[in-house]
Each structure stands twice: as structure tokens, then as C-alpha cells.
Amino acid sequence: MEEDDEYDDHGDESTQNVMKHVWNLIAHNAHLAVFIVFVMETERDPAALFFYLLTDPVHYHKNLKDMQKWAYEIHSTFLLPDAPLRVPNITAQIVNEINSALEERFDQDEEHKKLFVKARFVAKNAVRLQLNDFKAERSAGLSRFSGPSESDLKTCVDNVAKEIQVINDHLIPVIDTLSHDLENCTNRTLAIASCLATIMSKIFNAKSSRNASFLDRCPMFLSDKKSKLFGKNVKKIPLMGHNFELKQFTHPTLCNFSKGTIWGIGPQGYACQNCDFNVLKRFVNRVEEPCMEKSRKVTKTTQLSKLASDLGLPLMRTAAPLPGRESLRIFSTNPDELDIGKCNLSLYHS
Ligand SMILES: [Zn+2]
């Protein structure tokens, strides 16, 4: 059972009642904004709350390909073992089931609609506990974070302008503390900023001049716009012999530079078309490791030159075996003198 089964208090818009159940909380944007700020300001872990909000089925893409991209963005941000904003108590079994659904069965039997059901159940329990803390601390006046008054919150229920004002007044200071150095912040801070940008823009529809620059810069889930946070999305980057192409990853892949899993909002990184090197977008210009295909050639050339030199024989370029290519061959005037003349020691340059 994913959703609450108590629907007995409809119509009672007191804060205590709105905050009674998770389903009712997420139907009230101002209350939800205040709860988000409580979680952040009291240094509780916001991972379960953000995951739960962003995987609400109302946000599912209709197009299967977009759905698959989005699913990996969420999976790599919240659920994989080294995800920067990992939801607590997600079991290895839950992660493995999602991994195999992403890789093998995504387009079968509406598999994608069931993808996050178990993880949402775990997350919702965590949110429920935080909500209980919020209610207890607020009613006892104990919390470091007090939030708007009961009457202000009640006004928001049928006044959209007031609702947007409460959301902005409380969330923008939190966003300001996160957003001053998005290029150099930790993965976790960037993930939190992306969640808040998405919630502000897609759930609260609270775009304003006060948050426009943040929403413009910060990568967002559920968005068609590609973030330019780590530079323009250059499609091809030749570097260290690599032929890097911008890529939207859709299943777990290692970043060969940072050694972490490639995560987050796509296109997340670059993949070399000549070798198996993959790298997160933010690190692509720092790659110093040469392309493996290139280095294999280099190694072969070096070995061949050394061998030729040891044998006292010249290393010759020979006629191209294929159009546009040439080969290097150890040249011996007397093939009987050395078996090497019969060996296939040629190297093809493209
Ligand atoms: Zn390469």
C-alpha cells in the first residue's frame, strides 16, 4: 500500500490537519514549502522527501524514451549506493531490481510505472517520521525554525498570491545559501539545489524575479532545457586522443575520471567513441589519461621501433594496405635472416 488510507479529515484546513498525512501535505504548497524549510534548517536529511516529491506519478513523462532518461537521473541521484542524495534504508534488492529494469525490461509490461514503487514506500515512511517531528516541535514551540503563523498558512489555502509569497519568503533564503557557488559545490549540495529548483519551478510554479537566475542556472529534473552550469553543452570534444561525445546516460556507468558513478541530470557527461572512457561533464576538461585506442597504437609503435632498433633494422612505412591508411613494417632485406620478416608486425594508422 503506497498511499495513506486515512481520508477522513477532508475539509479541515488547520495546519495540524494538513500536516497530519503526507498525501494532504503535498496537496498544500505553502505547507509543503514550510516543511521543506524545516527539514533543511534543522539539518535533517531531505533525501526521502525530495525523492518522494519528484517521483510522484503525476510527473511521469508520456514518452518512454524521456521516461527512461528521467528514471536514471532519479536513480543515480537518490538510490544507487554512491548516489549524492541517497534515500536511507533503500535495500540492495530494491536497487538491483531498478538496475535490471532500466537495462533489460524498461519497455515491457509498463515496467517503468512500477519502477520506484518500493523505494517510494521506504521514502514515505521516512517523510512521515519527519512530519511527526515537525508537528511536535511546532506545537511545543521547540523548533529552531518556527515558520509562518497558523493564520498566515490558513490564508494560503485559498489565496494563490499569498501562497506564492509564503513559498518565496521561506524557500529563497535557503536557495540563496546553496546557490552562490554551484560550479564548485559538493555533489550533494548540487543535488539538493537541483531538487529545490525543480520543486520551485515544476511543483510550486513559483518562478519570480527573486529566483529567476537560480532557476536559469541550476540543472532541473523534469525539464527539457539543458543546464549550462558546467559550460555550454558542446556535442563533441577531442581531447588526449579521445573523441568525446555528449551523452545522456540511462544506466549505471563509472566516471573514469572521478571513479564515481555518473549521476544526475542529463546530459551527464561524455563518452569516448574510440575507447571505453566515460566522464562526468564537470570533469571532461581535466582528463589527462590518453585514449586507450590511441595509447594501444602508441605502445605498439614504441614496441615496434624498439624491436627494429634492437635488430638493427630500419622501420619503414609501406604501401597502404587499405585506402587512406599506411602501415609501418620492420624491413629486412633478407627475410631468412630473421623470422621477423614473416611475422605480422604491422601497424595501421588511420
Ligand atoms: Zn578514448
Side-chain angles (χ1 to χ4, degrees), residues 251-319:
H251 58 263
T253 308
L254 190 80
C255 167
N256 292 84
F257 181 85
S258 65
K259 310 299 176 201
T261 305
I262 291 185
W263 71 278
I265 295 161
Q268 302 94 338
Y270 286 87
C272 175
Q273 303 304 297
N274 299 339
C275 70
D276 297 327
F277 203 98
N278 298 297
V279 57
L280 271 163
K281 205 156 70 176
R282 69 196 293 181
F283 298 128
V284 68
N285 290 314
R286 290 165 60 186
V287 171
E288 288 179 349
E289 202 174 308
C291 185
M292 281 312 283
E293 187 169 284
K294 194 91 178 173
S295 70
R296 240 181 271 133
K297 282 181 183 172
V298 169
T299 310
K300 240 175 157 182
T301 309
T302 313
Q303 283 173 347
L304 211 57
S305 305
K306 186 174 182 306
L307 185 59
S309 147
D310 288 351
L311 296 168
L313 295 168
L315 188 67
M316 303 286 284
R317 281 173 201 281
T318 68

Side-chain angles (χ1 to χ4, degrees), residues 71-91:
Y72 182 68
E73 292 176 356
I74 293 286
H75 188 46
S76 63
T77 303
F78 293 102
L79 305 177
L80 284 173
D82 61 348
L85 201 50
R86 191 157 202 263
V87 178
N89 303 322
I90 295 293
T91 62

